[in-house]
Amino acid sequence: MSENQSSGAVILCIDDDREVRNLLEKILTVAGYTVISAVDGRQGLIEARNNKPDLILLDVMMPGMEGFSVCSQLQADQETAYIPVIFLTALGGEEDRTKAFAVGAVDYLAKPAPKEILLAKVAEQIKTSTHWKKLKKRVVVSDGTSLPAHFSRFKQSLIDQFDPSPDIRDRLAATAPLDIYNICEPMGITQGEMTALMAEFLSLPLISAIDPAKLLLGSIPASFAIQNRVVAMLDEKHGKSFILSNPFDWILQDTLKKYFGLQLDTALHLAEPDQIKALFEQPQELQMLMSAAPEKKPTDIPKEPEEQILQRDVEKGPVVAITNNILSSAVNERA
């Protein structure tokens, strides 16, 4: 990115290390960016809300409030939810990538990041920022009145298969595309069964378990993904593909076409809503595992610093539920 292209872009650097902040400010200022700094997570949240930067560089390990918690709060605030976040971390394992996805980061860099790599990542995510600003302005709530012919045919297929009572038939007839899952309980079926019925009707692949390793980090804003129950993943056959729960959400598909590269040959996969939602939730089982861990005895072998860091992140930071087995195994192996 040239100086003219980067001119005007504002970057917020949140790091408790003064030397790191000074180095980032020097590199980014020379490259033509305007830099704002924050010494901790709480100050960073204030600066982000007040200044609406184009990009945030966020340290993971900070006293008081670590980076995963900061990123979660950024995503929970509609004023800052569409600002891309790049993590700066001394760690670089798959657990950290998965947690970064869960809290909505677009990427992460291992410290110390070479200047060329840092600037390349920043330039890439400044483009993402421009992209997401347009998306945020365009996000609307559908009135659900669009009833294309194949959605009507799907509802008729439900009537033919389940032969519901007249009352349920009337409710099904009045159901809009965005409300298709609301009819599950009256019909006596689960959301998973409804997803499977839609997949069969539309001849779309049904995913029973989402592999977090295949998810594309930062491809879709986390708040948008949660609201619309959609994530992007790497498909070995088709490249970039999408997992969604409601294939009859026309506004969502139109948005995916305009902003996220959905094309006629792009693969779509279906997964039930709760499975996509679970990607962004904290695993209660892992919290219980940590709280139930026995106290350290004097004869216990001291933990390495990275293990202490990992345990603290697990206890405080929001992580995806599907990482439970991975992290539980790590805890057991190091007990």
Side-chain angles (χ1 to χ4, degrees):
M1 177 178 288
S2 68
E3 185 172 342
N4 289 336
Q5 288 176 301
S6 61
S7 178
V10 178
I11 300 176
L12 171 60
C13 298
I14 308 174
D15 200 304
D16 63 307
D17 189 322
R18 184 175 62 182
E19 292 184 1
V20 172
R21 293 196 309 272
N22 290 341
L23 178 60
L24 290 173
E25 183 173 359
K26 180 178 179 181
I27 293 174
L28 296 171
T29 301
V30 171
Y33 299 103
T34 299
V35 179
I36 303 172
S37 295
V39 300
D40 57 34
R42 298 190 186 281
Q43 183 186 355
L45 290 171
I46 295 173
E47 295 289 350
R49 186 172 180 85
N50 290 342
N51 294 285
K52 307 296 188 302
D54 299 287
L55 178 65
I56 297 174
L57 300 181
L58 175 60
D59 185 23
V60 172
M61 305 312 306
M62 294 183 293
M65 180 183 292
E66 42 78 35
F68 292 116
S69 295
V70 175
C71 194
S72 290
Q73 293 194 35
L74 289 169
Q75 291 299 317
D77 186 344
Q78 285 303 307
E79 292 294 320
T80 56
Y82 284 73
I83 301 175
V85 176
I86 298 178
F87 277 132
L88 300 176
T89 175
L91 307 175
E94 187 60 32
E95 303 98 321
D96 301 289
R97 180 190 182 280
T98 306
K99 284 190 286 185
F101 177 89
V103 297
V106 296
D107 210 334
Y108 68 97
L109 285 170
K111 291 182 178 180
K115 174 183 175 181
E116 294 75 14
I117 295 178
L118 171 65
L119 290 177
K121 291 285 187 182
V122 167
E124 177 185 354
Q125 299 309 335
I126 289 296
K127 294 179 181 178
T128 298
S129 177
T130 303
H131 192 66
W132 285 8
K133 286 178 182 177
K134 295 178 181 178
L135 172 66
K136 183 180 180 181
K137 291 179 181 179
R138 191 181 183 279
V139 172
V140 295
V141 178
S142 170
D143 60 7
T145 58
S146 176
L147 291 174
H150 66 293
F151 180 65
S152 297
R153 289 198 297 270
F154 173 68
K155 294 197 292 185
Q156 183 60 49
S157 73
L158 296 178
I159 294 174
D160 296 340
Q161 183 170 348
F162 293 95
D163 191 22
S165 66
D167 179 58
I168 300 301
R169 288 187 183 214
D170 291 341
R171 292 182 63 174
L172 181 58
T175 298
L178 293 185
D179 300 325
I180 187 61
Y181 283 102
N182 293 344
I183 200 67
C184 290
E185 184 175 351
M187 291 187 63
I189 63 175
T190 66
Q191 290 191 347
E193 290 170 333
M194 177 62 79
T195 308
L197 289 167
M198 290 189 289
E200 181 180 5
F201 179 81
L202 297 171
S203 300
L204 292 175
L206 177 67
I207 295 181
S208 58
I210 299 175
D211 182 359
K214 293 183 178 180
L215 297 176
L216 294 176
L217 181 67
S219 179
I220 298 176
S223 59
F224 182 88
I226 295 170
Q227 179 183 353
N228 294 279
R229 296 294 190 266
V230 59
V231 291
M233 78 168 186
L234 184 62
D235 188 314
E236 295 178 357
K237 295 182 179 179
H238 304 281
K240 184 178 183 180
S241 61
F242 296 93
I243 306 173
L244 46 83
S245 63
N246 188 348
F248 297 116
D249 186 343
W250 321 121
I251 288 182
L252 172 60
Q253 293 197 37
D254 183 55
T255 302
L256 294 177
K257 290 176 183 176
K258 284 181 165 50
Y259 294 95
F260 300 107
L262 176 65
Q263 300 177 359
L264 291 176
D265 59 347
T266 301
L268 292 178
H269 308 265
L270 296 191
E272 62 180 291
D274 286 347
Q275 188 180 166
I276 297 178
K277 179 183 177 183
L279 294 170
F280 302 91
E281 291 183 339
Q282 186 171 7
Q284 297 300 320
E285 297 86 352
L286 190 55
Q287 287 184 337
M288 294 174 60
L289 173 66
M290 287 300 186
S291 62
E295 293 185 2
K296 179 181 174 182
K297 299 178 182 179
T299 55
D300 287 345
I301 299 174
K303 293 184 178 180
E304 294 296 329
E306 287 192 5
E307 292 172 343
Q308 294 174 341
I309 291 170
L310 177 58
Q311 178 170 333
R312 188 183 72 189
D313 281 349
V314 170
E315 290 173 337
K316 295 183 179 179
V319 290
V320 289
I322 49 181
T323 63
N324 185 25
N325 291 336
I326 298 173
L327 297 182
S328 298
S329 298
V331 171
N332 290 333
E333 289 173 4
R334 298 180 172 120

